[in-house]
Amino acid sequence: MSVWPAWAVREGERATRWFHVRLAFTDGARVEGLVTVSEDGMGVEDLRARPALSPDDLAAFADWIEEPLARACGAVAQPPGGSGGGAHRRRAAPPRGTEGRRLAAHEYRAAQREGADPVLAVMGATGHSRRGALRLIGRARDAGLLTPRHARR
């Protein structure tokens, strides 16, 4: 499951954010979509599935993406006895150092196997910008976790 931001539109105090969503199943099935999130809730703008989804699976799509989408929006589970409704939510920090390089290498290879953009996969997994993700991928290559980008002469 991968979720990464596409863009956001702000109208006064209201904001609507779009996210790319990708589900890959072990049997090779894939579902990709464009989802909106606003104060009014979640909406599916575009959806592609191979093979096609049954009506029951289509109805379950929102359940499949609810938790990863909430994480991408920065929502975290409230502690027992939670705080008030005005509490700010923060995204958990991605692992640093060796663990961060291992995570980047894992996501990069998984995206390559699926035929997806590896840099976007690392961006989604770590929360880094494109430049930060590329820097992290370079560090993973330097550490020997990924193959070299270009053959040395």
Side-chain angles (χ1 to χ4, degrees), residues 123-137:
M123 288 171 62
T126 63
H128 287 300
S129 66
R130 184 169 191 82
R131 183 175 289 176
L134 288 169
R135 195 175 302 124
L136 187 57
I137 291 166

PDB file of all heavy atoms in Angstrom, residues 123-137:
ATOM      1  N   MET A 123       9.606   8.544  -1.379  1.00  0.00           N
ATOM      2  CA  MET A 123       9.003   9.783  -0.864  1.00  0.00           C
ATOM      3  C   MET A 123       7.810   9.456   0.033  1.00  0.00           C
ATOM      4  O   MET A 123       7.663  10.021   1.115  1.00  0.00           O
ATOM      5  CB  MET A 123       8.542  10.667  -2.027  1.00  0.00           C
ATOM      6  CG  MET A 123       9.655  11.318  -2.792  1.00  0.00           C
ATOM      7  SD  MET A 123       9.110  12.129  -4.308  1.00  0.00           S
ATOM      8  CE  MET A 123       8.012  13.378  -3.683  1.00  0.00           C
ATOM      9  N   GLY A 124       6.957   8.544  -0.425  1.00  0.00           N
ATOM     10  CA  GLY A 124       5.772   8.176   0.350  1.00  0.00           C
ATOM     11  C   GLY A 124       6.110   7.465   1.643  1.00  0.00           C
ATOM     12  O   GLY A 124       5.455   7.666   2.663  1.00  0.00           O
ATOM     13  N   ALA A 125       7.147   6.634   1.625  1.00  0.00           N
ATOM     14  CA  ALA A 125       7.500   5.865   2.815  1.00  0.00           C
ATOM     15  C   ALA A 125       8.210   6.714   3.868  1.00  0.00           C
ATOM     16  O   ALA A 125       8.071   6.469   5.059  1.00  0.00           O
ATOM     17  CB  ALA A 125       8.390   4.685   2.428  1.00  0.00           C
ATOM     18  N   THR A 126       8.966   7.713   3.422  1.00  0.00           N
ATOM     19  CA  THR A 126       9.775   8.486   4.359  1.00  0.00           C
ATOM     20  C   THR A 126       9.220   9.873   4.651  1.00  0.00           C
ATOM     21  O   THR A 126       9.593  10.484   5.647  1.00  0.00           O
ATOM     22  CB  THR A 126      11.204   8.663   3.821  1.00  0.00           C
ATOM     23  OG1 THR A 126      11.155   9.407   2.604  1.00  0.00           O
ATOM     24  CG2 THR A 126      11.870   7.318   3.607  1.00  0.00           C
ATOM     25  N   GLY A 127       8.371  10.391   3.765  1.00  0.00           N
ATOM     26  CA  GLY A 127       7.860  11.740   3.953  1.00  0.00           C
ATOM     27  C   GLY A 127       8.819  12.812   3.460  1.00  0.00           C
ATOM     28  O   GLY A 127       8.567  13.995   3.636  1.00  0.00           O
ATOM     29  N   HIS A 128       9.929  12.398   2.840  1.00  0.00           N
ATOM     30  CA  HIS A 128      10.896  13.360   2.314  1.00  0.00           C
ATOM     31  C   HIS A 128      10.398  13.961   1.007  1.00  0.00           C
ATOM     32  O   HIS A 128       9.594  13.360   0.302  1.00  0.00           O
ATOM     33  CB  HIS A 128      12.244  12.683   2.029  1.00  0.00           C
ATOM     34  CG  HIS A 128      13.017  12.337   3.260  1.00  0.00           C
ATOM     35  ND1 HIS A 128      13.429  13.261   4.184  1.00  0.00           N
ATOM     36  CD2 HIS A 128      13.468  11.144   3.715  1.00  0.00           C
ATOM     37  CE1 HIS A 128      14.091  12.659   5.147  1.00  0.00           C
ATOM     38  NE2 HIS A 128      14.128  11.373   4.893  1.00  0.00           N
ATOM     39  N   SER A 129      10.930  15.132   0.679  1.00  0.00           N
ATOM     40  CA  SER A 129      10.684  15.730  -0.626  1.00  0.00           C
ATOM     41  C   SER A 129      11.423  14.899  -1.671  1.00  0.00           C
ATOM     42  O   SER A 129      12.186  13.980  -1.341  1.00  0.00           O
ATOM     43  CB  SER A 129      11.229  17.162  -0.655  1.00  0.00           C
ATOM     44  OG  SER A 129      12.649  17.145  -0.536  1.00  0.00           O
ATOM     45  N   ARG A 130      11.228  15.223  -2.940  1.00  0.00           N
ATOM     46  CA  ARG A 130      11.907  14.486  -4.002  1.00  0.00           C
ATOM     47  C   ARG A 130      13.421  14.568  -3.828  1.00  0.00           C
ATOM     48  O   ARG A 130      14.127  13.578  -3.922  1.00  0.00           O
ATOM     49  CB  ARG A 130      11.487  15.012  -5.376  1.00  0.00           C
ATOM     50  CG  ARG A 130      12.093  14.219  -6.511  1.00  0.00           C
ATOM     51  CD  ARG A 130      11.454  14.587  -7.850  1.00  0.00           C
ATOM     52  NE  ARG A 130      11.847  13.662  -8.868  1.00  0.00           N
ATOM     53  CZ  ARG A 130      11.314  12.477  -9.091  1.00  0.00           C
ATOM     54  NH1 ARG A 130      10.321  12.064  -8.339  1.00  0.00           N
ATOM     55  NH2 ARG A 130      11.743  11.692 -10.057  1.00  0.00           N
ATOM     56  N   ARG A 131      13.906  15.766  -3.546  1.00  0.00           N
ATOM     57  CA  ARG A 131      15.354  15.937  -3.371  1.00  0.00           C
ATOM     58  C   ARG A 131      15.870  15.129  -2.182  1.00  0.00           C
ATOM     59  O   ARG A 131      16.911  14.477  -2.251  1.00  0.00           O
ATOM     60  CB  ARG A 131      15.670  17.418  -3.184  1.00  0.00           C
ATOM     61  CG  ARG A 131      17.153  17.691  -3.071  1.00  0.00           C
ATOM     62  CD  ARG A 131      17.417  19.155  -3.015  1.00  0.00           C
ATOM     63  NE  ARG A 131      17.148  19.723  -4.326  1.00  0.00           N
ATOM     64  CZ  ARG A 131      17.206  20.999  -4.594  1.00  0.00           C
ATOM     65  NH1 ARG A 131      17.490  21.860  -3.647  1.00  0.00           N
ATOM     66  NH2 ARG A 131      16.963  21.445  -5.804  1.00  0.00           N
ATOM     67  N   GLY A 132      15.129  15.140  -1.064  1.00  0.00           N
ATOM     68  CA  GLY A 132      15.525  14.368   0.112  1.00  0.00           C
ATOM     69  C   GLY A 132      15.497  12.876  -0.159  1.00  0.00           C
ATOM     70  O   GLY A 132      16.369  12.132   0.304  1.00  0.00           O
ATOM     71  N   ALA A 133      14.486  12.420  -0.907  1.00  0.00           N
ATOM     72  CA  ALA A 133      14.394  10.999  -1.246  1.00  0.00           C
ATOM     73  C   ALA A 133      15.564  10.587  -2.136  1.00  0.00           C
ATOM     74  O   ALA A 133      16.157   9.517  -1.940  1.00  0.00           O
ATOM     75  CB  ALA A 133      13.064  10.696  -1.930  1.00  0.00           C
ATOM     76  N   LEU A 134      15.909  11.427  -3.112  1.00  0.00           N
ATOM     77  CA  LEU A 134      17.050  11.114  -3.979  1.00  0.00           C
ATOM     78  C   LEU A 134      18.347  11.068  -3.184  1.00  0.00           C
ATOM     79  O   LEU A 134      19.210  10.211  -3.421  1.00  0.00           O
ATOM     80  CB  LEU A 134      17.153  12.139  -5.113  1.00  0.00           C
ATOM     81  CG  LEU A 134      16.069  12.026  -6.187  1.00  0.00           C
ATOM     82  CD1 LEU A 134      16.094  13.241  -7.095  1.00  0.00           C
ATOM     83  CD2 LEU A 134      16.242  10.755  -6.986  1.00  0.00           C
ATOM     84  N   ARG A 135      18.496  11.965  -2.239  1.00  0.00           N
ATOM     85  CA  ARG A 135      19.687  11.969  -1.378  1.00  0.00           C
ATOM     86  C   ARG A 135      19.749  10.681  -0.562  1.00  0.00           C
ATOM     87  O   ARG A 135      20.812  10.055  -0.434  1.00  0.00           O
ATOM     88  CB  ARG A 135      19.625  13.191  -0.468  1.00  0.00           C
ATOM     89  CG  ARG A 135      20.925  13.521   0.199  1.00  0.00           C
ATOM     90  CD  ARG A 135      20.842  14.820   1.014  1.00  0.00           C
ATOM     91  NE  ARG A 135      20.451  15.941   0.186  1.00  0.00           N
ATOM     92  CZ  ARG A 135      19.404  16.723   0.433  1.00  0.00           C
ATOM     93  NH1 ARG A 135      18.645  16.515   1.490  1.00  0.00           N
ATOM     94  NH2 ARG A 135      19.114  17.738  -0.354  1.00  0.00           N
ATOM     95  N   LEU A 136      18.605  10.255  -0.014  1.00  0.00           N
ATOM     96  CA  LEU A 136      18.545   9.033   0.773  1.00  0.00           C
ATOM     97  C   LEU A 136      18.830   7.804  -0.090  1.00  0.00           C
ATOM     98  O   LEU A 136      19.529   6.876   0.335  1.00  0.00           O
ATOM     99  CB  LEU A 136      17.178   8.920   1.443  1.00  0.00           C
ATOM    100  CG  LEU A 136      16.977   7.784   2.433  1.00  0.00           C
ATOM    101  CD1 LEU A 136      18.007   7.844   3.551  1.00  0.00           C
ATOM    102  CD2 LEU A 136      15.577   7.879   3.025  1.00  0.00           C
ATOM    103  N   ILE A 137      18.318   7.781  -1.310  1.00  0.00           N
ATOM    104  CA  ILE A 137      18.590   6.679  -2.228  1.00  0.00           C
ATOM    105  C   ILE A 137      20.085   6.625  -2.529  1.00  0.00           C
ATOM    106  O   ILE A 137      20.694   5.546  -2.568  1.00  0.00           O
ATOM    107  CB  ILE A 137      17.755   6.829  -3.523  1.00  0.00           C
ATOM    108  CG1 ILE A 137      16.279   6.596  -3.211  1.00  0.00           C
ATOM    109  CG2 ILE A 137      18.240   5.879  -4.609  1.00  0.00           C
ATOM    110  CD1 ILE A 137      15.329   7.036  -4.309  1.00  0.00           C
TER     111      ILE A 137
END
